[in-house]
Amino acid sequence: MGKYFGTDGIRGVAGEKLSAELAFKIGRAAATALTLSAMTNERQEAASRARPVVMIGRDTRISCDMLETALAAGLCSAGADVISLGVLPTPAIAYLTVKSQSDMGIVISASHNTFEYNGIKIFGSDGYKPSDEFEELIERLIDDDSEIRKAVGCDIGTISIEHGVRTNEYVKYLASHAVGARYGGRIAIDCANGAASETARLLFRQLHAEFEIIADEPDGVNINRDCGSMHLNYLQDMIKSGRFSIGIGFDGDADRCLIVDEKGNIIDGDMMLAMFARDMQQSGKLKNDAFIGTVVSNAGMDIFARENGFTFHRSDVGDRNVLEMMKERSCNLGGESSGHIIFSDIATTGDGQLTALMFLNILVSSGKTASELISDVPRLPQVMPSFKLTEGSEQRDRILAHPLFAQEIAKQEKALDGYGRIHIRPSGTEAIIRVLVEAKTDKLSNEIAQSLLDFMKTL
């Protein structure tokens, strides 16, 4: 992680860490970086002929107006033209950036975080998140404006407002990946009062599905609040009422998806990955008979892979890290427990609505229920609570580097008796340290996790 960029773009409390002033600097730095670091000779030639074109999309947070206005001003001041697409899912911006042959796509969103947070995510002209080198260049230009391009006269960029104009292009792309047969059950869909509120209804109408949508009335502050993939309780109650056969929950920017089966149980990203891997292997579409998870994926994934004759690799947490390992291992399937799934043959980033469609495809073709599909995916008892940091990065570094903490971890690992694991990591998007414990029983997992949380309070 850099000074500004974390595991998923630049993120922080809007108005504090992520201020309008910083958004302006990011905009002009990004526009300048496009001209200083062209990815191909063709791009260099294009940059000399015309202004860069940058697409901007956003979720439903109250701070998006402020940040988009400042970001667009920064881009225009450095000579880039801006196309404002309004509220759209993060993966929609990645897709439309490529389809429109724009030079860059930018999303203003803090994904699954609550409304007071916001973030700025960048996609290159190829629909992928930029390289470390490109992010480092933007960071340097944020802090040192000596190389910033200062447009004057006719070189100043323009802003085109196209809210809703390209939504149908994205929805049509999604719908093209649905199987011909219609899912026969009734679907409950939770849009997290976020970006899917603009697209889910259009999409499922195109699929001629029978559905009901909740949490699709954003007011600027209710995004991810007691709804969406982070809070599936209400969706589970809808399923248990007997009126629905499956539930789908998105997060704020709709790049994640979790499923609630017909019994009201949650199917997380690990379970979906296992199901997708088996289905793709059986149809000959799983490249190298392997797929990618992360260091926090349940250990049951390793067992499932061995039992089904394919390989499971683990990357660091973060969709960018997953994608990098997918490229390194020549894999076309990867994802995270959170429900961020990447089908690299058809998308450049995780897409919650695409994931939901792929899940429904398998349900339709298999004739099984959701619970039956994942019934043989083993899961070890796992907990992952968080330790909230009150002193920022200094407290984080002190805890993680403390020799007594290392001794405590070693002590708790002995309590596992060779079965399970402990994984400690700082969040790349929030001021917390995540504690993952897998053990023989839920009771032991919880006891060890709580002991580690209590110990951190003493450091």
Side-chain angles (χ1 to χ4, degrees):
M1 293 186 290
K3 179 179 179 181
Y4 298 104
F5 283 92
T7 55
D8 193 18
I10 299 171
R11 192 173 299 188
V13 175
E16 292 182 1
K17 180 180 177 181
L18 188 54
S19 63
E21 292 81 4
L22 178 57
F24 176 81
K25 291 180 179 180
I26 293 169
R28 65 180 188 173
T32 301
L34 280 173
T35 61
L36 292 179
S37 182
M39 294 176 65
T40 65
N41 290 331
E42 289 79 12
R43 175 66 58 75
Q44 289 175 335
E45 292 172 5
S48 68
R49 294 194 305 268
R51 292 195 293 258
V53 176
V54 180
M55 286 189 153
I56 299 180
R58 47 164 289 185
D59 67 21
T60 59
R61 294 162 210 271
I62 194 171
S63 59
C64 284
D65 286 340
M66 173 188 75
L67 294 174
E68 181 176 3
T69 300
L71 180 68
L75 288 161
C76 291
S77 75
D81 286 339
V82 173
I83 300 175
S84 174
L85 298 179
V87 175
L88 275 176
T90 288
I93 304 306
Y95 169 75
L96 292 169
T97 296
V98 176
K99 190 173 188 293
S100 66
Q101 297 185 319
S102 296
D103 296 274
M104 179 182 286
I106 300 180
V107 182
I108 303 172
S109 172
S111 191
H112 60 284
N113 293 145
T114 48
F115 85 95
E116 64 269 23
Y117 290 90
N118 216 325
I120 293 176
K121 309 179 187 184
I122 296 176
F123 292 98
S125 61
D126 57 359
Y128 291 100
K129 292 180 180 178
S131 65
D132 291 340
E133 293 75 20
F134 192 79
E135 289 185 351
E136 289 167 4
L137 174 59
I138 291 177
E139 290 194 341
R140 177 166 61 81
L141 293 169
I142 290 172
D143 289 335
D144 179 6
D145 66 358
S146 61
E147 293 182 82
I148 290 290
R149 184 184 179 195
K150 297 177 176 63
V152 295
C154 293
D155 290 334
I156 294 173
T158 62
I159 300 175
S160 301
I161 306 298
E162 297 189 6
H163 294 184
V165 172
R166 300 178 189 249
T167 302
N168 283 333
E169 291 181 45
Y170 171 64
V171 171
K172 184 177 179 181
Y173 149 76
L174 289 175
S176 70
H177 293 290
V179 296
R182 183 177 72 87
Y183 175 66
R186 195 156 188 259
I187 308 169
I189 303 168
D190 187 333
C191 293
N193 289 313
S197 302
E198 298 285 320
T199 55
R201 192 176 303 277
L202 292 173
L203 172 62
F204 284 88
R205 279 177 180 165
Q206 286 204 17
L207 301 178
H208 304 291
E210 188 177 353
F211 64 91
E212 182 175 319
I213 291 182
I214 62 171
D216 64 334
E217 298 181 358
D219 60 10
V221 299
N222 62 359
I223 185 171
N224 297 315
R225 187 176 68 197
D226 301 323
C227 59
S229 62
M230 298 294 290
H231 305 279
L232 292 168
N233 300 33
Y234 190 65
L235 203 58
Q236 289 177 290
D237 289 341
M238 292 177 71
I239 300 299
K240 292 175 182 178
S241 72
R243 296 187 298 117
F244 302 90
S245 58
I246 194 169
I248 299 171
F250 303 116
D251 67 334
D253 67 338
D255 64 352
R256 298 182 181 188
C257 166
L258 293 182
I259 301 293
V260 178
D261 70 19
E262 78 285 355
K263 298 178 180 179
N265 298 318
I266 296 172
I267 298 177
D268 67 9
D270 287 345
M271 299 177 193
M272 283 192 284
L273 266 177
M275 188 193 67
F276 290 138
R278 178 168 54 196
D279 181 74
M280 291 171 66
Q281 184 195 47
Q282 291 173 349
S283 61
K285 295 178 181 179
L286 187 67
K287 291 182 179 177
N288 285 330
D289 288 327
F291 65 108
I292 310 298
T294 73
V295 291
V296 301
S297 293
N298 194 279
M301 300 290 282
D302 302 283
I303 300 170
F304 181 82
R306 288 195 301 270
E307 291 177 346
N308 286 273
F310 40 70
T311 306
F312 178 63
H313 302 289
R314 293 177 182 269
S315 76
D316 289 334
V317 172
D319 64 292
R320 180 173 170 178
N321 295 318
V322 171
L323 187 58
E324 285 179 0
M325 183 169 284
M326 289 172 67
K327 292 178 179 178
E328 291 171 4
R329 304 278 185 173
S330 297
C331 295
N332 58 348
L333 175 67
E336 301 183 88
S337 308
S338 60
H340 196 282
I341 311 294
I342 303 173
F343 301 92
S344 63
D345 287 341
I346 56 178
T348 60
T349 189
D351 188 323
Q353 291 172 107
L354 179 62
T355 298
L357 287 183
M358 302 300 272
F359 190 94
L360 291 175
N361 284 349
I362 297 177
L363 277 183
V364 170
S365 60
S366 69
K368 296 181 178 180
T369 64
S371 65
E372 289 171 342
L373 281 176
I374 53 91
S375 61
D376 62 340
V377 179
R379 286 186 64 79
L380 273 66
Q382 181 192 81
V383 294
M384 191 166 58
S386 301
F387 179 82
K388 188 171 183 179
L389 297 166
T390 57
E391 304 169 34
S393 59
E394 291 183 3
Q395 182 187 21
R396 175 198 66 200
D397 295 343
R398 182 177 71 246
I399 291 173
L400 296 179
H402 206 294
L404 290 180
F405 187 46
Q407 291 177 21
E408 179 65 17
I409 293 173
K411 172 186 171 183
Q412 296 298 337
E413 285 177 334
K414 288 183 179 179
L416 293 173
D417 195 26
Y419 187 96
R421 63 189 178 115
I422 296 171
H423 182 77
I424 311 291
R425 70 174 183 90
S427 170
T429 59
E430 301 174 73
I432 57 176
I433 296 175
R434 300 190 190 278
V435 178
L436 181 148
V437 180
E438 290 174 344
K440 290 180 179 179
T441 64
D442 288 315
K443 183 174 182 293
L444 183 57
S445 295
N446 281 295
E447 288 176 351
I448 291 175
Q450 189 59 53
S451 294
L452 291 168
L453 292 174
D454 291 341
F455 193 83
M456 282 191 273
K457 294 177 185 177
T458 68
L459 301 178

